[in-house]
Amino acid sequence: MNYQPTIGLEVHAQLLSKSKLFCAASTRFGEEPNANVHPLCMAMPGTLPKLNAAVVDMAIRTGLALQCTINLESRWDRKHYFYPDLPSGFQVTQNELPICEHGTLSVSTTEGERPIRIRRIHMEEDAGKLMHDPQSAESLVDLNRAGIPLLEIVSAPDIHTAEEAAAYLRSLRDILVYIGVSDGNLEEGSFRSDANVSIAPKGSTTLGTRVEIKNINSFRFVQKAIEYEIARQVSVLENGGKLVQETRLWDAEKGETRSMRSKENAQDYRYFPEPNLPPLRIEASQVEALKKTLPELPKEKYRRYIESLGLPAYDAAVLTAERELAEYFEGCLTHYADAKKLSNWVMGELLRMSKEEEIAFSALRFSKEQFARLLQAVDAGKISLNAAKEVFAHMFRTGEEPERIIEAKGLAQVSDVGAIEAAIAAVLEAHASETEKYRAGKKQVFGFLVGQVMKAMKGKGNPALVNQLLRNRLDN
Amino acid sequence: MNIHELSMLELATKLADKSLTSVEATQACLERISETEPKLNAFIYVDAQGALEAAAASDKRRSRGEALGPLDGLPMALKDNIFVAGLKTTCASRMLQNFVAPMDAAVVQQLRQAGMVLLGKLNMDEMAMGSSSTSGVFGAVHNPYALERSAGGSSGGSAAAVGARVLWAALGSDSGGSIRQPASFCNVVGLKPSFGRISRRGVVAYASSMDQVGPMARKVKDIAALLTLLAQPDEEDVLCNPRPGGDYTQGLEQGMGGMRVGLWRESLEGADKEVAACIGEAAKACERLGAQVEELSLPLSRMAPLAYALISAAEASSNLARFDGIRYGHAGTQAPNLHALYFNSRGEGFGKTVKKKLTLGTFVLSSGHYEAFFVKAAKLRTLLCEEIKQAFKKVDLLLSPVASTPAFPLEFNPTPAQSAALDTHTVLANLVGLPALSLPYGFSAQGLPIGIQLMGKAFEEAALLRCAHALEEDKPSFQRAPLL
């Protein structure tokens, strides 16, 4: 039988706020265990939550970037479970009425582009971390992460392939990073995803039994885990089995999902309204003001690069992959108008060297004007492309003016017609037999002769001019 | 002069004119404590040394003319669910028997800024759940007017110590009547302010949407002075009113002429004859003092105890989830695994009343029961708010008994229904967030104190205190001393 998989994704993105969601403790990563704690996030009695307003702004901006409705009134709820990573025994979240609802994210795959609906976005607190020490048989609790603000972004079950799921997550991550609300760092756990996967016979109007997969922390694993899970579900049904509603854990090492708990053992979270926080009310004017702070999003940029700048899709994709790179590119474009030539340089020399030298675009030693002047020197025939690359490398390391480097290294091209013609004359005289061969129709010799002229000019002859003048001389 | 017969503000006057020192007052308190404690069991901890040092510092300030205010040097004590940095806050629970508060509560900061001397921590029902002050790990509090009877609860220690003339004032907390009912049992004035009038920071939470700290003293004027101190904004409690309450001692003498008093009809159902007689007498006094009195029916109020029972249990089950024996508090013995640690910590750390409450709270929040219980209770609460809002269009004040009976015997072991009936008249103010005051208004034939409850409009404590003061002046029942 043919099955149609249906996938919904829940993403937990850690927000880039300096302090936690409800207390003043720092959110810095990599501190000593339990260094970033405050009585509230340690759940000392007598403590009360105080909402971090910066987080609300980030949630609204995310909602706007994902075309959500922003709820001007949303609420806080407590979600309960007993585990040492949750010191108060409840997580403060937005269950009943989230801050953002009904958004969309357009996702491109090899099959084309499709909108995926976003069901809701809400704010909540992260839990702490347990460390199991195999030496002592004790478990240690680190509460640095407890109370760090998260956005949970829940898609509708609109995704049908593992590839599409991975593309959705990449797009979503790009947007969060672009608008500056999350660092999207998968290794540090600031972008985590769970997937709900079910299959149903093609054409069926009802969905199959839903299985939740947890612990998928890379884009590659998402795709693999979902592919594995779809195949597993198909095989269960094909073999006459029945699927159970359950939560499964992705085991990256074994490349499989395995059962964690079934629906019967599902937790009862005992949600109820958080009595210590009033409903969150937002002014429409605040939403309007935040709208103005949103940058052009990666998709829009990508489209504009192709349509208005005339760049190939590949270039547009590379240049818009990161906001910093796109902004650097656009900054250079104000000094140098040929987008394609600039794109070649940025994607080529600039990206290569900044990666090699591990320098961020914001920390480059040379200005965008300097970069533009170098490119203009090539266009004007002042230096060859190869020489320009040498100049660029030097400018990258030292920040010196390109003109000075050209002069100091003696890289200026000779475009003086008289000088080139003199060199040509000397070469033709020294290589009379090759000249004869060319004129007799052996056109391949031309390249040799060009090489000789360039050699005579110590490589500084303007190659286009050398070609043109030599051909004139030989053909007439 | 018997220093113990003074009211708080009378003592303050003596401190101000230097006819008494803070050290003398504190010494007198400590001596009285050693006399009465074997009978009352009102204190969990007495910080004699700390109090005497604070008193000496206060006297020094006064002698230099640098007193921090009219209450500088006044000894007082706090219910043991209020944090004093460095002192244990036990909530009369085995769970927190060794828990040292990491900070001062907001109210303690305010008392310290006013120069008040903190004498110690007062006994209560475990985790502030109860109406008898018998459930705590430190044993029952005894009523100073009848030692074999309950002091009421949960702020029983606060009420007993003030009622017994040990203290001039104390702080209690009130989530369903825990200040007013013991105040009524011990012949003390007790105020539960509007929700949000006093910061809850540093107070161990029971039912967060209803918890309020409040003052207990012998005279309404004392309550007004203390409220003036405590009704301050606190940015750390986002539900605390951002505007200070002002000076409640001003205008206290203006009487209750022209006030409209509603006699809450349902509150008299099931009231003792003597209690009902007190209310009748109070209604007459109101009229005599120039107020209009009318009977008023609040039919939904009969169901208030149900809403209260479910909501307070739900919030408590959530608030007390943090006591898991991991970071602080009683850690379960013989716990080979995590589940056993939870089970034993909570099983050993909490007493029966608390466990019942937590079980009920967990039940009403669990899936399948949430809609049927919690949501219904929340809806009822909304309807009650509406009913009260309508009532307060007609009247300025509601008059009712605090409790249907005077203090009951210590061995009284109420059925669940009787237990709920103990807070019938007090929970309404907590559910709708209104200020309510318990005013001593007479004695039963057996010599047991009877209080009346006055409930006012939200954040209109000034009017409430003014009326209470007028009634108190009219009939100063507080003057009858305990037998102790």
Side-chain angles (χ1 to χ4, degrees), chain A residues 103-208:
Chain A
T104 50
L105 174 59
S106 166
V107 171
S108 309
T109 62
T110 47
E111 312 269 295
E113 191 170 331
R114 237 163 49 79
I116 305 295
R117 286 172 301 159
I118 308 269
R119 225 172 222 173
R120 53 184 283 149
I121 303 175
H122 68 254
M123 297 171 276
E124 64 184 26
E125 302 174 286
D126 207 345
K129 222 164 64 181
L130 289 197
M131 286 178 288
H132 305 285
D133 180 1
Q135 308 289 311
S136 71
E138 276 185 337
S139 293
L140 301 171
V141 186
D142 175 7
L143 296 178
N144 282 351
R145 214 178 58 187
I148 283 187
L150 297 177
L151 275 192
E152 182 172 331
I153 303 164
V154 184
S155 86
D158 286 357
I159 300 166
H160 296 300
T161 65
E163 185 206 355
E164 202 167 44
Y168 167 90
L169 292 175
R170 281 205 181 88
S171 273
L172 181 57
R173 180 192 168 275
D174 286 351
I175 288 178
L176 299 183
V177 174
Y178 245 77
I179 63 173
V181 300
S182 174
D183 64 12
N185 191 325
L186 278 75
E187 289 80 42
E188 291 176 7
S190 22
F191 188 88
R192 313 192 285 266
S193 155
D194 301 333
N196 287 306
V197 180
S198 67
I199 59 166
K202 268 224 162 95
S204 159
T205 51
T206 55
L207 293 178

Side-chain angles (χ1 to χ4, degrees), chain A residues 38-40 42-51 77-78 80 82-90 96 130 141 143 268-278, chain B residues 83 96 99 102-103 199-205 208-209 235-239 314-315 317-319 321-324 326-328 338 342 346 362 365-367 370 374:
Chain A
H38 179 273
L40 178 96
M42 283 168 36
M44 291 303 257
T47 52
L48 295 166
K50 192 177 164 191
L51 177 62
D77 301 285
R78 291 183 181 180
H80 300 84
F82 279 105
Y83 202 61
D85 67 358
L86 188 68
S88 60
F90 57 81
E96 284 281 308
L130 289 197
V141 186
L143 296 178
D268 183 351
Y269 291 123
R270 291 177 280 124
Y271 286 102
F272 88 111
E274 162 60 87
N276 284 324
L277 290 165
Chain B
F83 282 1
L96 291 176
F99 178 78
M103 61 205 179
S199 170
R200 298 167 301 148
R201 171 166 54 93
V203 182
V204 180
S208 302
S209 72
E235 282 186 4
E236 302 303 315
D237 179 352
V238 296
L239 297 178
E315 293 184 4
S317 75
S318 174
N319 284 332
R322 67 192 59 209
F323 300 114
D324 55 12
I326 293 175
R327 297 165 312 284
Y328 50 77
L338 182 62
Y342 283 140
R346 295 168 69 79
T362 304
L365 292 180
S366 57
S367 89
Y370 179 73
F374 184 82

Side-chain angles (χ1 to χ4, degrees), chain B residues 441-460:
Chain B
Y441 210 75
F443 289 85
S444 72
Q446 284 176 286
L448 300 173
I450 296 172
I452 58 170
Q453 174 173 255
L454 300 171
M455 213 187 309
K457 296 180 188 170
F459 298 106
E460 294 193 10

Side-chain angles (χ1 to χ4, degrees), chain B residues 38-192:
Chain B
K39 295 167 195 160
L40 292 179
N41 194 28
F43 279 83
I44 286 176
Y45 176 70
V46 178
D47 184 17
Q49 198 194 335
L52 286 169
E53 283 168 12
S58 166
D59 288 335
K60 202 173 262 177
R61 282 196 295 273
R62 274 214 195 271
S63 67
R64 290 201 209 108
E66 291 166 2
L68 295 172
L71 305 184
D72 197 334
L74 261 164
M76 74 126 69
L78 317 160
K79 186 176 181 178
D80 203 21
N81 60 349
I82 301 171
F83 282 1
V84 176
L87 295 190
K88 284 179 190 168
T89 295
T90 69
C91 291
S93 178
R94 186 173 179 204
M95 178 58 83
L96 291 176
Q97 213 167 338
N98 294 304
F99 178 78
V100 176
M103 61 205 179
D104 275 344
V107 289
V108 170
Q109 290 176 337
Q110 290 154 356
L111 298 180
R112 284 194 201 279
Q113 277 159 20
M116 296 190 79
V117 172
L118 305 181
L119 255 175
K121 308 299 287 290
L122 294 159
N123 206 350
M124 56 190 280
D125 275 305
E126 183 180 9
M127 293 290 175
M129 298 173 194
S131 311
S132 58
S133 297
T134 53
S135 66
V137 71
F138 301 103
V141 180
H142 296 258
N143 191 314
Y145 285 83
L147 289 173
E148 74 291 357
R149 288 185 182 257
S150 165
S154 64
S155 311
S158 307
V162 176
R165 278 44 174 175
V166 175
L167 293 171
W168 294 272
L171 292 191
S173 74
D174 188 320
S175 309
S178 282
I179 286 176
R180 289 160 287 158
Q181 185 250 26
S184 163
F185 283 11
C186 296
N187 200 33
V188 161
V189 188
L191 173 70
K192 187 217 71 97

Side-chain angles (χ1 to χ4, degrees), chain A residues 225-396:
Chain A
I226 292 174
E227 274 163 6
Y228 174 90
E229 182 56 26
I230 292 170
R232 186 192 71 84
Q233 293 188 11
V234 169
S235 125
V236 169
L237 293 185
E238 292 288 289
N239 290 312
K242 243 188 118 180
L243 290 165
V244 287
Q245 191 173 332
E246 61 181 342
T247 302
R248 295 177 74 87
L249 208 62
W250 168 247
D251 184 333
E253 267 169 43
K254 293 193 180 141
E256 60 181 35
T257 63
R258 58 163 192 275
S259 187
M260 198 168 115
R261 59 172 176 256
S262 70
K263 194 195 171 193
E264 287 76 59
N265 298 322
Q267 307 236 25
D268 183 351
Y269 291 123
R270 291 177 280 124
Y271 286 102
F272 88 111
E274 162 60 87
N276 284 324
L277 290 165
L280 174 59
R281 292 199 177 85
I282 301 163
E283 296 292 326
S285 59
Q286 187 187 350
V287 177
E288 285 310 307
L290 287 168
K291 215 176 245 173
K292 294 196 183 101
T293 69
L294 279 186
E296 184 182 29
L297 297 175
K299 269 255 141 67
E300 298 163 13
K301 241 188 219 313
Y302 171 82
R303 225 167 272 140
R304 181 168 63 85
Y305 281 16
I306 295 172
E307 284 163 15
S308 324
L309 298 181
L311 289 176
Y314 174 79
D315 293 38
V318 172
L319 292 173
T320 58
E322 277 172 52
R323 184 176 168 187
E324 269 207 313
L325 178 60
E327 280 176 357
Y328 184 81
F329 173 76
E330 289 174 28
C332 291
L333 209 55
T334 61
H335 303 287
Y336 183 79
D338 189 330
K340 178 55 190 157
K341 273 191 189 159
L342 179 64
S343 160
N344 290 345
W345 272 89
V346 169
M347 294 194 308
E349 295 308 294
L350 179 75
L351 267 185
R352 188 177 55 75
M353 284 205 70
S354 58
K355 231 168 248 164
E356 275 173 21
E357 315 258 322
E358 292 177 5
I359 292 181
F361 301 113
S362 55
L364 290 173
R365 296 190 185 92
F366 58 95
S367 69
K368 298 185 182 90
E369 290 93 327
Q370 282 173 293
F371 192 12
R373 287 210 305 276
L374 174 61
L375 269 55
Q376 279 151 2
V378 177
D379 290 347
K382 284 185 191 146
I383 50 169
S384 70
L385 202 58
N386 277 333
K389 285 178 183 170
E390 197 183 329
V391 174
F392 179 81
H394 193 86
M395 181 173 80
F396 190 97

Side-chain angles (χ1 to χ4, degrees), chain A residues 25-83:
Chain A
S26 161
T27 57
R28 210 167 339 165
F29 183 77
E31 298 272 305
E32 286 286 300
N34 299 308
N36 295 345
V37 291
H38 179 273
L40 178 96
C41 56
M42 283 168 36
M44 291 303 257
T47 52
L48 295 166
K50 192 177 164 191
L51 177 62
N52 181 343
V55 173
V56 178
D57 284 356
M58 289 187 222
I60 296 171
R61 294 178 80 238
T62 306
L64 290 171
L66 295 171
Q67 289 153 39
C68 289
T69 308
I70 309 297
N71 289 327
L72 296 182
E73 182 175 319
S74 61
R75 285 169 198 272
W76 299 99
D77 301 285
R78 291 183 181 180
K79 172 182 178 177
H80 300 84
Y81 62 87
F82 279 105
Y83 202 61

